[in-house]
Amino acid sequence: MDDKHMQIGEVAARTELSLRTIRHYEETGLVVPSARSQGGFRLYTEADVARLMVIRRMKPLGFTLDQMRDLLEATDRLDAGTRLDPDEREALLDRVRTYQQAAAEQVEKLRIQLARAEDFAATLGARLERNAPAARA
């Protein structure tokens, strides 16, 4: 990945997260800026942006901060490039599989909710159409 550093404003724009949210994720230990400028400004890399995107995608699925931290820790260890013994590697993969399954279940629940919401909106639209005054010619 690119080692180019970005300030928090650029990261916020790229991730569509607020500055406050990014700072909160830093305070809770979910993401740590890769560096600081001489003036003390937070500096982020593409890897930090990717990490924030994982967090952003987990949030609407109802994952807690602790669950996000657990998944990120597991994926960090898997991606670190250090040699893991087979049992440890399998345990980490099992953790990731558990989150993948939970995400798939949440996505299905959201699909059902979306279908119900679309049906409701269509029902209201049909009611308005039936009850709208006739157009004047």
Side-chain angles (χ1 to χ4, degrees):
M1 288 200 184
D2 188 1
D3 285 324
K4 174 188 170 267
H5 285 95
M6 297 164 270
Q7 289 189 2
I8 194 169
E10 183 179 349
V11 173
R14 295 219 7 228
T15 61
E16 298 179 348
L17 294 169
S18 70
L19 301 177
R20 183 175 178 217
T21 298
I22 294 170
R23 288 183 188 115
H24 173 69
Y25 291 151
E26 179 185 352
E27 290 167 9
T28 60
L30 288 175
V31 68
V32 178
S34 291
R36 293 263 181 181
S37 71
Q38 288 182 340
F41 294 104
R42 295 164 175 87
L43 297 175
Y44 298 87
T45 63
E46 288 296 330
D48 299 324
V49 170
R51 187 176 186 89
L52 282 164
M53 292 303 293
V54 169
I55 295 165
R56 190 183 117 195
R57 290 176 181 126
M58 290 180 79
K59 187 71 174 153
L61 297 177
F63 288 103
T64 66
L65 293 177
D66 285 337
Q67 289 171 318
M68 292 175 193
R69 189 176 295 106
D70 183 56
L71 175 63
L72 289 167
E73 191 259 325
T75 57
D76 286 349
R77 287 177 60 200
L78 285 167
D79 296 343
T82 57
R83 189 162 165 81
L84 300 170
D85 73 56
D87 290 340
E88 182 181 11
R89 180 175 204 70
E90 191 55 38
L92 291 169
L93 290 170
D94 281 345
R95 279 167 59 189
V96 175
R97 284 184 198 106
T98 298
Y99 285 107
Q100 189 278 330
Q101 181 62 36
E105 290 170 8
Q106 278 304 112
V107 166
E108 187 54 36
K109 288 178 185 177
L110 288 170
R111 280 192 178 108
I112 292 167
Q113 285 182 313
L114 178 59
R116 289 175 181 159
E118 289 174 333
D119 184 49
F120 175 67
T123 299
L124 291 177
R127 174 165 282 141
L128 285 171
E129 211 172 282
R130 280 193 316 269
N131 291 297
R136 295 181 187 158

